[in-house]
Amino acid sequence: MSILKIARMGHPVLLDQAKPINPSDIASNADLQKLIGDMIETLNDAGGVGLAAPQVYAGQRVILAKAPQLSGSDEDKMGVTVLINPELEFIGPDKDLGWEGCLSIPGLRGAVPRARKLIYRGYDPAGQSVEAEAQGFFARILQHEVDHLDGILYPMRMTDFRYFGFDEELARLEREAASGAEGQAE
Ligand code: NI
């Protein structure tokens, strides 16, 4: 396995529509299996929570999403969900505004409205069909990654650009807000 280069915003590969994979080929496709292994290694190396194939210059409908496993929420216990040809069906009208970053947009963060709850369908790396429910942060990651397959980056989903900025600056604001709250408590 190897660590792959991650495309950054501005590269046209991130705006392309990724192509579906024939489900009957998934298990026997050595190139696809290698891509999935390399994507997992790349994601772990980069320290992200999700990755889509177009981010590593592969125009195929493959995404990774890290979800806290039932055993605990420590980052090292987060399992990687691999989904091929993912499809999302939103449950209900509720949306949440939440912070997102992207390995293709390093150093920045933005608040993005996303559906709170959804059903995801697709195939696992063994070619088995998958259907499950997701909500909260995991549902957010899935929406972010599926968007990558359709050439959509999270800033294109933003509705209020006041909540868009550099990680370091936003961290400063959070620290100031935290110390302000402490001051009020005293
Ligand atoms: Ni991303």
Side-chain angles (χ1 to χ4, degrees):
M1 291 200 289
S2 41
I3 293 166
L4 304 170
K5 187 184 176 194
I6 298 174
R8 291 188 302 172
M9 184 167 64
H11 195 292
V13 74
L14 294 171
L15 301 176
D16 286 346
Q17 188 81 18
K19 292 188 171 59
I21 292 156
N22 183 346
S24 58
D25 289 348
I26 291 172
S28 59
N29 185 333
D31 289 342
L32 176 65
Q33 297 295 330
K34 182 178 183 339
L35 171 67
I36 292 168
D38 288 348
M39 282 177 66
I40 292 171
E41 195 174 1
T42 302
L43 178 61
N44 287 334
D45 176 70
V49 292
L51 187 68
Q55 293 182 274
V56 292
Y57 303 84
Q60 302 182 80
R61 301 189 80 81
V62 179
I63 63 165
L64 308 183
K66 281 194 177 183
Q69 291 174 334
L70 296 175
S71 55
S73 58
D74 292 348
E75 198 160 333
D76 59 349
K77 286 183 184 163
M78 285 172 112
V80 180
T81 297
V82 180
L83 267 186
I84 297 154
N85 299 349
E87 285 178 20
L88 307 180
E89 181 188 327
F90 300 144
I91 302 172
D94 290 346
K95 286 193 172 190
D96 291 322
L97 196 63
W99 289 103
E100 294 183 22
C102 181
L103 294 173
S104 295
I105 313 172
L108 289 164
R109 257 193 291 166
V112 186
R114 298 282 190 189
R116 185 177 297 168
K117 218 170 162 186
L118 53 80
I119 295 167
Y120 63 92
R121 299 184 179 89
Y123 294 88
D124 70 13
Q128 301 295 311
S129 64
V130 175
E131 176 174 331
E133 205 174 291
Q135 57 185 325
F137 191 56
F138 188 52
R140 174 174 296 279
I141 299 170
L142 290 171
Q143 290 169 78
H144 177 119
E145 301 310 330
V146 170
D147 269 355
H148 273 299
L149 304 182
D150 297 322
I152 298 167
L153 300 170
Y154 78 79
M156 302 177 190
R157 295 283 192 197
M158 290 183 62
T159 51
D160 188 341
F161 284 94
R162 289 178 302 169
Y163 301 106
F164 189 38
F166 289 93
D167 271 333
E168 290 169 6
E169 304 298 340
L170 293 166
R172 189 204 318 269
L173 269 181
E174 279 166 11
R175 276 199 306 275
E176 285 173 7
S179 62
E182 280 165 24
Q184 283 176 0
E186 288 166 6

Short mmCIF file of all heavy atoms in Angstrom, two decimals, residues 43-101:
data_model
loop_
_atom_site.label_atom_id
_atom_site.label_comp_id
_atom_site.label_asym_id
_atom_site.label_seq_id
_atom_site.Cartn_x
_atom_site.Cartn_y
_atom_site.Cartn_z
N LEU A 43 -5.81 8.27 4.29
CA LEU A 43 -6.68 8.93 5.28
C LEU A 43 -6.07 8.85 6.68
O LEU A 43 -6.05 9.86 7.40
CB LEU A 43 -8.06 8.26 5.27
CG LEU A 43 -9.08 8.81 6.29
CD1 LEU A 43 -9.37 10.28 6.04
CD2 LEU A 43 -10.36 8.00 6.25
N ASN A 44 -5.57 7.69 7.04
CA ASN A 44 -4.96 7.55 8.37
C ASN A 44 -3.74 8.44 8.51
O ASN A 44 -3.52 9.05 9.56
CB ASN A 44 -4.60 6.08 8.63
CG ASN A 44 -5.85 5.24 8.90
OD1 ASN A 44 -6.87 5.75 9.34
ND2 ASN A 44 -5.77 3.96 8.61
N ASP A 45 -2.94 8.52 7.43
CA ASP A 45 -1.74 9.35 7.48
C ASP A 45 -2.10 10.83 7.61
O ASP A 45 -1.46 11.58 8.35
CB ASP A 45 -0.91 9.14 6.20
CG ASP A 45 0.30 10.05 6.15
OD1 ASP A 45 1.23 9.83 6.95
OD2 ASP A 45 0.31 11.00 5.34
N ALA A 46 -3.16 11.25 6.90
CA ALA A 46 -3.55 12.67 6.90
C ALA A 46 -4.31 13.05 8.18
O ALA A 46 -4.45 14.23 8.48
CB ALA A 46 -4.40 12.98 5.67
N GLY A 47 -4.84 12.05 8.88
CA GLY A 47 -5.56 12.34 10.11
C GLY A 47 -6.95 12.90 9.88
O GLY A 47 -7.47 13.63 10.71
N GLY A 48 -7.57 12.55 8.76
CA GLY A 48 -8.92 13.04 8.48
C GLY A 48 -9.98 12.06 8.94
O GLY A 48 -9.68 10.99 9.47
N VAL A 49 -11.25 12.43 8.72
CA VAL A 49 -12.37 11.55 9.07
C VAL A 49 -13.10 11.02 7.84
O VAL A 49 -14.03 10.24 7.96
CB VAL A 49 -13.38 12.24 10.00
CG1 VAL A 49 -12.77 12.49 11.37
CG2 VAL A 49 -13.90 13.53 9.41
N GLY A 50 -12.67 11.46 6.66
CA GLY A 50 -13.29 10.95 5.45
C GLY A 50 -12.44 11.27 4.23
O GLY A 50 -11.60 12.17 4.27
N LEU A 51 -12.66 10.49 3.17
CA LEU A 51 -11.90 10.69 1.93
C LEU A 51 -12.72 10.11 0.78
O LEU A 51 -13.34 9.05 0.93
CB LEU A 51 -10.54 9.97 2.03
CG LEU A 51 -9.53 10.21 0.91
CD1 LEU A 51 -9.02 11.66 0.91
CD2 LEU A 51 -8.33 9.26 1.03
N ALA A 52 -12.70 10.82 -0.34
CA ALA A 52 -13.40 10.33 -1.53
C ALA A 52 -12.37 10.14 -2.65
O ALA A 52 -11.38 10.86 -2.73
CB ALA A 52 -14.46 11.35 -1.96
N ALA A 53 -12.63 9.15 -3.51
CA ALA A 53 -11.65 8.79 -4.54
C ALA A 53 -11.20 9.97 -5.42
O ALA A 53 -10.01 10.06 -5.74
CB ALA A 53 -12.20 7.64 -5.39
N PRO A 54 -12.11 10.88 -5.80
CA PRO A 54 -11.64 12.00 -6.63
C PRO A 54 -10.55 12.84 -5.95
O PRO A 54 -9.74 13.47 -6.64
CB PRO A 54 -12.92 12.84 -6.84
CG PRO A 54 -14.03 11.84 -6.73
CD PRO A 54 -13.58 10.88 -5.66
N GLN A 55 -10.51 12.83 -4.61
CA GLN A 55 -9.47 13.58 -3.90
C GLN A 55 -8.09 12.99 -4.12
O GLN A 55 -7.09 13.67 -3.89
CB GLN A 55 -9.77 13.62 -2.39
CG GLN A 55 -11.01 14.43 -2.04
CD GLN A 55 -11.20 14.46 -0.54
OE1 GLN A 55 -11.79 13.56 0.04
NE2 GLN A 55 -10.67 15.49 0.11
N VAL A 56 -8.02 11.72 -4.53
CA VAL A 56 -6.74 11.11 -4.84
C VAL A 56 -6.66 10.80 -6.34
O VAL A 56 -6.05 9.85 -6.77
CB VAL A 56 -6.46 9.85 -3.98
CG1 VAL A 56 -6.26 10.25 -2.53
CG2 VAL A 56 -7.59 8.82 -4.08
N TYR A 57 -7.33 11.66 -7.12
CA TYR A 57 -7.26 11.65 -8.59
C TYR A 57 -7.85 10.39 -9.22
O TYR A 57 -7.47 10.00 -10.33
CB TYR A 57 -5.80 11.83 -9.06
CG TYR A 57 -5.15 13.09 -8.54
CD1 TYR A 57 -4.56 13.13 -7.26
CD2 TYR A 57 -5.12 14.25 -9.30
CE1 TYR A 57 -3.98 14.29 -6.76
CE2 TYR A 57 -4.54 15.41 -8.82
CZ TYR A 57 -3.97 15.42 -7.55
OH TYR A 57 -3.39 16.57 -7.07
N ALA A 58 -8.77 9.72 -8.52
CA ALA A 58 -9.43 8.53 -9.06
C ALA A 58 -10.92 8.84 -9.22
O ALA A 58 -11.61 9.08 -8.23
CB ALA A 58 -9.23 7.34 -8.13
N GLY A 59 -11.39 8.87 -10.45
CA GLY A 59 -12.76 9.30 -10.72
C GLY A 59 -13.77 8.18 -10.57
O GLY A 59 -14.57 7.92 -11.47
N GLN A 60 -13.74 7.50 -9.44
CA GLN A 60 -14.67 6.39 -9.20
C GLN A 60 -15.46 6.66 -7.92
O GLN A 60 -15.01 7.36 -7.02
CB GLN A 60 -13.87 5.09 -9.05
CG GLN A 60 -13.03 4.79 -10.27
CD GLN A 60 -12.30 3.48 -10.12
OE1 GLN A 60 -12.87 2.42 -10.31
NE2 GLN A 60 -11.04 3.56 -9.75
N ARG A 61 -16.65 6.03 -7.85
CA ARG A 61 -17.55 6.33 -6.73
C ARG A 61 -17.20 5.46 -5.52
O ARG A 61 -17.85 4.45 -5.23
CB ARG A 61 -19.01 6.19 -7.16
CG ARG A 61 -19.36 7.14 -8.32
CD ARG A 61 -20.84 7.20 -8.64
NE ARG A 61 -21.58 8.07 -7.74
CZ ARG A 61 -21.66 9.39 -7.84
NH1 ARG A 61 -21.01 10.03 -8.79
NH2 ARG A 61 -22.37 10.08 -6.99
N VAL A 62 -16.14 5.89 -4.83
CA VAL A 62 -15.65 5.21 -3.62
C VAL A 62 -15.42 6.26 -2.55
O VAL A 62 -14.79 7.30 -2.82
CB VAL A 62 -14.31 4.47 -3.88
CG1 VAL A 62 -13.82 3.80 -2.60
CG2 VAL A 62 -14.44 3.47 -5.01
N ILE A 63 -15.97 6.02 -1.35
CA ILE A 63 -15.72 6.95 -0.24
C ILE A 63 -15.32 6.17 1.02
O ILE A 63 -15.65 4.99 1.18
CB ILE A 63 -16.96 7.83 0.09
CG1 ILE A 63 -18.14 6.96 0.57
CG2 ILE A 63 -17.35 8.69 -1.07
CD1 ILE A 63 -19.25 7.77 1.25
N LEU A 64 -14.60 6.87 1.88
CA LEU A 64 -14.29 6.37 3.22
C LEU A 64 -14.90 7.34 4.23
O LEU A 64 -14.87 8.55 4.04
CB LEU A 64 -12.78 6.33 3.47
CG LEU A 64 -11.86 5.64 2.48
CD1 LEU A 64 -10.43 5.70 3.01
CD2 LEU A 64 -12.29 4.22 2.23
N ALA A 65 -15.42 6.78 5.32
CA ALA A 65 -15.93 7.62 6.41
C ALA A 65 -15.59 6.94 7.73
O ALA A 65 -15.84 5.74 7.90
CB ALA A 65 -17.44 7.82 6.28
N LYS A 66 -15.00 7.71 8.63
CA LYS A 66 -14.66 7.14 9.94
C LYS A 66 -15.81 7.39 10.91
O LYS A 66 -16.28 8.51 11.06
CB LYS A 66 -13.39 7.79 10.49
CG LYS A 66 -12.13 7.22 9.87
CD LYS A 66 -10.93 7.64 10.69
CE LYS A 66 -9.66 7.02 10.13
NZ LYS A 66 -8.49 7.35 10.95
N ALA A 67 -16.23 6.34 11.57
CA ALA A 67 -17.33 6.45 12.53
C ALA A 67 -16.89 5.91 13.86
O ALA A 67 -16.18 4.91 13.92
CB ALA A 67 -18.52 5.66 12.04
N PRO A 68 -17.32 6.57 14.94
CA PRO A 68 -17.00 6.01 16.26
C PRO A 68 -17.68 4.65 16.39
O PRO A 68 -18.87 4.54 16.12
CB PRO A 68 -17.62 7.02 17.23
CG PRO A 68 -17.98 8.20 16.42
CD PRO A 68 -18.14 7.76 15.02
N GLN A 69 -16.94 3.65 16.80
CA GLN A 69 -17.53 2.33 17.01
C GLN A 69 -18.22 2.30 18.36
O GLN A 69 -18.01 3.16 19.20
CB GLN A 69 -16.45 1.25 16.93
CG GLN A 69 -15.93 1.10 15.52
CD GLN A 69 -14.77 0.15 15.42
OE1 GLN A 69 -14.04 -0.06 16.37
NE2 GLN A 69 -14.58 -0.42 14.25
N LEU A 70 -19.05 1.31 18.55
CA LEU A 70 -19.85 1.25 19.77
C LEU A 70 -18.98 1.12 21.02
O LEU A 70 -19.37 1.54 22.10
CB LEU A 70 -20.82 0.06 19.70
CG LEU A 70 -21.86 0.18 18.58
CD1 LEU A 70 -22.70 -1.07 18.50
CD2 LEU A 70 -22.76 1.40 18.82
N SER A 71 -17.78 0.57 20.85
CA SER A 71 -16.92 0.33 22.00
C SER A 71 -16.35 1.61 22.61
O SER A 71 -15.90 1.62 23.74
CB SER A 71 -15.77 -0.59 21.61
OG SER A 71 -15.09 -0.04 20.51
N GLY A 72 -16.36 2.71 21.86
CA GLY A 72 -15.81 3.93 22.42
C GLY A 72 -15.65 4.98 21.36
O GLY A 72 -15.84 4.72 20.18
N SER A 73 -15.35 6.19 21.78
CA SER A 73 -15.28 7.26 20.80
C SER A 73 -13.86 7.80 20.64
O SER A 73 -13.67 8.81 19.99
CB SER A 73 -16.23 8.39 21.20
OG SER A 73 -15.89 8.85 22.49
N ASP A 74 -12.86 7.14 21.24
CA ASP A 74 -11.48 7.58 21.04
C ASP A 74 -11.16 7.49 19.56
O ASP A 74 -11.62 6.59 18.87
CB ASP A 74 -10.50 6.69 21.81
CG ASP A 74 -10.66 6.86 23.30
OD1 ASP A 74 -11.35 7.81 23.70
OD2 ASP A 74 -10.10 6.04 24.04
N GLU A 75 -10.34 8.42 19.10
CA GLU A 75 -10.05 8.47 17.66
C GLU A 75 -9.43 7.17 17.16
O GLU A 75 -9.71 6.74 16.05
CB GLU A 75 -9.14 9.66 17.36
CG GLU A 75 -9.17 10.02 15.90
CD GLU A 75 -8.69 11.44 15.64
OE1 GLU A 75 -8.82 12.27 16.56
OE2 GLU A 75 -8.20 11.68 14.56
N ASP A 76 -8.60 6.52 17.98
CA ASP A 76 -7.95 5.30 17.51
C ASP A 76 -8.91 4.12 17.45
O ASP A 76 -8.60 3.08 16.91
CB ASP A 76 -6.72 4.96 18.36
CG ASP A 76 -7.08 4.76 19.82
OD1 ASP A 76 -8.21 5.08 20.20
OD2 ASP A 76 -6.21 4.26 20.56
N LYS A 77 -10.09 4.31 18.00
CA LYS A 77 -11.09 3.24 17.92
C LYS A 77 -12.07 3.46 16.78
O LYS A 77 -13.03 2.73 16.63
CB LYS A 77 -11.86 3.14 19.25
CG LYS A 77 -11.05 2.54 20.37
CD LYS A 77 -11.90 2.41 21.61
CE LYS A 77 -11.07 1.89 22.77
NZ LYS A 77 -11.75 2.13 24.05
N MET A 78 -11.84 4.53 16.02
CA MET A 78 -12.78 4.82 14.96
C MET A 78 -12.57 3.88 13.79
O MET A 78 -11.48 3.79 13.24
CB MET A 78 -12.62 6.27 14.48
CG MET A 78 -13.19 7.29 15.45
SD MET A 78 -12.76 8.96 14.93
CE MET A 78 -14.36 9.60 14.47
N GLY A 79 -13.60 3.16 13.40
CA GLY A 79 -13.51 2.25 12.27
C GLY A 79 -13.74 3.01 10.97
O GLY A 79 -14.39 4.03 10.96
N VAL A 80 -13.14 2.50 9.91
CA VAL A 80 -13.34 3.12 8.60
C VAL A 80 -14.44 2.37 7.86
O VAL A 80 -14.35 1.16 7.68
CB VAL A 80 -12.04 3.10 7.77
CG1 VAL A 80 -12.27 3.74 6.40
CG2 VAL A 80 -10.92 3.81 8.49
N THR A 81 -15.46 3.09 7.45
CA THR A 81 -16.49 2.52 6.59
C THR A 81 -16.12 2.82 5.15
O THR A 81 -15.85 3.96 4.80
CB THR A 81 -17.87 3.15 6.91
OG1 THR A 81 -18.21 2.82 8.25
CG2 THR A 81 -18.94 2.64 5.97
N VAL A 82 -16.04 1.76 4.33
CA VAL A 82 -15.77 1.91 2.90
C VAL A 82 -17.09 1.70 2.16
O VAL A 82 -17.76 0.69 2.36
CB VAL A 82 -14.74 0.88 2.41
CG1 VAL A 82 -14.47 1.05 0.91
CG2 VAL A 82 -13.45 0.97 3.21
N LEU A 83 -17.47 2.65 1.34
CA LEU A 83 -18.72 2.53 0.58
C LEU A 83 -18.44 2.77 -0.90
O LEU A 83 -17.81 3.77 -1.28
CB LEU A 83 -19.73 3.57 1.05
CG LEU A 83 -20.74 3.20 2.13
CD1 LEU A 83 -21.71 4.37 2.30
CD2 LEU A 83 -21.50 1.93 1.80
N ILE A 84 -18.93 1.83 -1.72
CA ILE A 84 -18.80 1.93 -3.17
C ILE A 84 -20.18 2.21 -3.74
O ILE A 84 -21.18 1.65 -3.29
CB ILE A 84 -18.21 0.61 -3.72
CG1 ILE A 84 -16.80 0.42 -3.13
CG2 ILE A 84 -18.18 0.61 -5.23
CD1 ILE A 84 -16.37 -1.01 -3.05
N ASN A 85 -20.26 3.11 -4.72
CA ASN A 85 -21.54 3.57 -5.30
C ASN A 85 -22.51 4.01 -4.21
O ASN A 85 -23.68 3.61 -4.20
CB ASN A 85 -22.20 2.46 -6.13
CG ASN A 85 -21.35 2.03 -7.31
OD1 ASN A 85 -20.36 2.68 -7.64
ND2 ASN A 85 -21.73 0.94 -7.95
N PRO A 86 -22.08 4.86 -3.28
CA PRO A 86 -22.97 5.24 -2.17
C PRO A 86 -24.16 6.08 -2.64
O PRO A 86 -24.03 6.89 -3.56
CB PRO A 86 -22.06 6.06 -1.26
CG PRO A 86 -21.03 6.63 -2.17
CD PRO A 86 -20.81 5.59 -3.23
N GLU A 87 -25.30 5.84 -2.01
CA GLU A 87 -26.49 6.66 -2.24
C GLU A 87 -27.08 7.02 -0.88
O GLU A 87 -27.10 6.19 0.02
CB GLU A 87 -27.51 5.91 -3.08
CG GLU A 87 -27.11 5.84 -4.54
CD GLU A 87 -28.07 5.06 -5.40
OE1 GLU A 87 -29.23 4.87 -4.97
OE2 GLU A 87 -27.64 4.63 -6.48
N LEU A 88 -27.57 8.24 -0.78
CA LEU A 88 -28.12 8.74 0.49
C LEU A 88 -29.59 9.09 0.33
O LEU A 88 -29.99 9.68 -0.68
CB LEU A 88 -27.35 9.99 0.94
CG LEU A 88 -25.83 9.86 1.03
CD1 LEU A 88 -25.22 11.18 1.50
CD2 LEU A 88 -25.40 8.73 1.95
N GLU A 89 -30.36 8.70 1.32
CA GLU A 89 -31.77 9.09 1.37
C GLU A 89 -32.00 9.80 2.69
O GLU A 89 -31.87 9.19 3.76
CB GLU A 89 -32.66 7.84 1.27
CG GLU A 89 -34.14 8.14 1.29
CD GLU A 89 -34.98 6.87 1.39
OE1 GLU A 89 -34.57 5.81 0.86
OE2 GLU A 89 -36.05 6.93 2.04
N PHE A 90 -32.32 11.09 2.62
CA PHE A 90 -32.48 11.87 3.85
C PHE A 90 -33.78 11.49 4.54
O PHE A 90 -34.79 11.27 3.89
CB PHE A 90 -32.46 13.37 3.55
CG PHE A 90 -31.19 13.83 2.90
CD1 PHE A 90 -31.19 14.83 1.95
CD2 PHE A 90 -29.98 13.25 3.24
CE1 PHE A 90 -30.00 15.24 1.34
CE2 PHE A 90 -28.79 13.66 2.64
CZ PHE A 90 -28.80 14.65 1.69
N ILE A 91 -33.72 11.43 5.87
CA ILE A 91 -34.92 11.14 6.67
C ILE A 91 -35.36 12.44 7.34
O ILE A 91 -34.65 12.98 8.18
CB ILE A 91 -34.61 10.09 7.76
CG1 ILE A 91 -34.09 8.79 7.13
CG2 ILE A 91 -35.86 9.81 8.59
CD1 ILE A 91 -33.57 7.78 8.15
N GLY A 92 -36.53 12.90 6.94
CA GLY A 92 -37.06 14.11 7.56
C GLY A 92 -36.39 15.38 7.05
O GLY A 92 -35.37 15.32 6.37
N PRO A 93 -36.97 16.53 7.41
CA PRO A 93 -36.48 17.81 6.89
C PRO A 93 -35.38 18.45 7.74
O PRO A 93 -34.82 19.47 7.35
CB PRO A 93 -37.74 18.68 6.92
CG PRO A 93 -38.52 18.15 8.09
CD PRO A 93 -38.20 16.68 8.21
N ASP A 94 -35.07 17.85 8.91
CA ASP A 94 -34.17 18.53 9.85
C ASP A 94 -32.75 18.65 9.31
O ASP A 94 -32.17 17.68 8.82
CB ASP A 94 -34.13 17.78 11.18
CG ASP A 94 -35.44 17.89 11.94
OD1 ASP A 94 -36.25 18.76 11.56
OD2 ASP A 94 -35.64 17.12 12.88
N LYS A 95 -32.21 19.86 9.45
CA LYS A 95 -30.82 20.10 9.09
C LYS A 95 -30.10 20.71 10.28
O LYS A 95 -30.70 21.44 11.06
CB LYS A 95 -30.72 21.07 7.90
CG LYS A 95 -31.11 20.42 6.58
CD LYS A 95 -30.70 21.30 5.41
CE LYS A 95 -30.92 20.56 4.10
NZ LYS A 95 -30.32 21.27 2.96
N ASP A 96 -28.82 20.40 10.39
CA ASP A 96 -27.98 21.01 11.42
C ASP A 96 -26.86 21.78 10.75
O ASP A 96 -26.34 21.36 9.70
CB ASP A 96 -27.36 19.93 12.32
CG ASP A 96 -28.40 19.24 13.18
OD1 ASP A 96 -29.33 19.92 13.66
OD2 ASP A 96 -28.29 18.02 13.36
N LEU A 97 -26.46 22.88 11.38
CA LEU A 97 -25.29 23.63 10.93
C LEU A 97 -24.10 23.11 11.73
O LEU A 97 -24.14 23.09 12.95
CB LEU A 97 -25.52 25.12 11.19
CG LEU A 97 -24.63 26.11 10.47
CD1 LEU A 97 -24.80 26.02 8.97
CD2 LEU A 97 -24.95 27.53 10.94
N GLY A 98 -23.06 22.66 11.05
CA GLY A 98 -21.90 22.13 11.77
C GLY A 98 -20.61 22.42 11.02
O GLY A 98 -20.60 22.61 9.79
N TRP A 99 -19.52 22.43 11.77
CA TRP A 99 -18.21 22.75 11.19
C TRP A 99 -17.69 21.58 10.35
O TRP A 99 -17.79 20.43 10.76
CB TRP A 99 -17.20 23.07 12.29
CG TRP A 99 -17.46 24.37 12.97
CD1 TRP A 99 -18.03 24.55 14.20
CD2 TRP A 99 -17.18 25.67 12.44
NE1 TRP A 99 -18.13 25.89 14.47
CE2 TRP A 99 -17.62 26.60 13.41
CE3 TRP A 99 -16.62 26.15 11.26
CZ2 TRP A 99 -17.50 27.97 13.24
CZ3 TRP A 99 -16.50 27.52 11.08
CH2 TRP A 99 -16.93 28.42 12.06
N GLU A 100 -17.09 21.92 9.22
CA GLU A 100 -16.44 20.92 8.38
C GLU A 100 -15.10 21.44 7.90
O GLU A 100 -14.92 22.64 7.67
CB GLU A 100 -17.31 20.59 7.15
CG GLU A 100 -18.61 19.91 7.52
CD GLU A 100 -19.46 19.51 6.33
OE1 GLU A 100 -18.93 19.37 5.21
OE2 GLU A 100 -20.67 19.31 6.55
N GLY A 101 -14.19 20.51 7.75
CA GLY A 101 -12.94 20.80 7.07
C GLY A 101 -12.84 19.81 5.93
O GLY A 101 -13.70 18.96 5.75
#
